[in-house]
Amino acid sequence: MSKLAIYPGTFDPFTNGHLDIALRSVRLFDHLVIAITTNAKKTPLFTVPQRKALIEKSLPEGLDITVESFDGLLVDYAQERGSIILIRGLRAVSDFEYELQMALLNRRLNPAIETIFKMPSEEYSFLTSTAVKEIAQLGGCVDGLVPVAVKAALIEKFNNNL
Ligand code: ADP
């Protein structure tokens, strides 16, 4: 049976930290689905189709990774996709409490679900989508923090020279 893992998130926008986690994860499974949540609590900067296109442009070719979106409960989506494996990233201890809570809640909703935590490269351990958006909005340089396609989209969005 081929093993499919799901890496869910808001990805508003996709950063080099997300990319790092995706690349580390796909090595362990036959296929990885990057799954964009459509029911974000905060108003996103990029629409779901924009986020999907940016992720697709940011992935190296030839990898067993697809990008999808879902609404509703993550555990229901995982079941529909025939996967019991969720990937989440852990940057620092500050992520741990929320991630533990989500992992245990998801397990309560579907006991078959397993959440696997991956640590990014140190250079991305401080990186958040929120910080990237703030830097870009204020005209700061996001080189090395996001893929080039995301940088271009941020420039277009904020209409300045990063
Ligand atoms: P969410 O709103 O679901 O937390 P995010 O897009 O912020 O969505 O993050 C998706 C997942 O990627 C989360 O598990 C988050 O901890 C992880 N993540 C975000 N940024 C990084 C990073 N720089 N390094 C490693 N993991 C990250």
Side-chain angles (χ1 to χ4, degrees):
M1 195 182 76
S2 77
K3 280 264 182 247
L4 173 83
I6 294 176
Y7 178 28
T10 312
F11 305 115
D12 183 46
F14 194 66
T15 69
N16 283 344
H18 293 131
L19 179 62
D20 181 284
I21 296 295
L23 297 180
R24 287 173 196 283
S25 302
V26 73
R27 296 209 307 259
L28 305 177
F29 301 97
D30 299 310
H31 193 84
L32 181 73
V33 176
I34 298 179
I36 306 167
T37 51
T38 60
N39 50 356
K41 278 172 242 152
K42 284 179 252 164
T43 312
L45 181 63
F46 293 102
T47 64
V48 169
Q50 285 171 335
R51 281 180 265 163
K52 181 173 186 287
L54 287 176
I55 298 172
E56 284 168 345
K57 278 191 210 161
S58 304
L59 295 171
E61 277 181 31
L63 293 176
D64 282 314
I65 304 180
T66 49
V67 188
E68 298 180 4
S69 60
F70 71 99
D71 46 27
L73 279 176
L74 175 58
V75 291
D76 292 343
Y77 168 74
Q79 185 144 357
E80 268 167 42
R81 293 299 276 104
S83 176
I84 56 157
I85 300 158
L86 303 179
I87 306 285
R88 294 289 288 175
L90 275 186
R91 282 161 290 203
V93 180
S94 50
D95 279 340
F96 182 75
E97 200 168 331
Y98 173 74
E99 293 294 344
L100 177 70
Q101 187 186 18
M102 292 311 296
L104 294 179
L105 272 172
N106 284 331
R107 185 185 279 165
R108 168 62 72 93
L109 292 170
N110 180 349
I113 291 283
E114 288 297 335
T115 304
I116 294 179
F117 295 105
K118 306 279 310 158
M119 279 77 71
S121 165
E122 275 167 37
E123 60 186 308
Y124 305 128
S125 60
F126 57 88
L127 186 55
T128 67
S129 294
T130 303
V132 161
K133 283 181 279 194
E134 279 173 12
I135 293 168
Q137 189 166 18
L138 297 171
C141 178
V142 294
D143 282 347
L145 303 181
V146 293
V148 285
V150 174
K151 178 184 170 182
L154 286 166
I155 290 175
E156 204 185 321
K157 189 66 91 177
F158 295 120
N159 195 22
N160 55 27
N161 298 314
L162 303 184

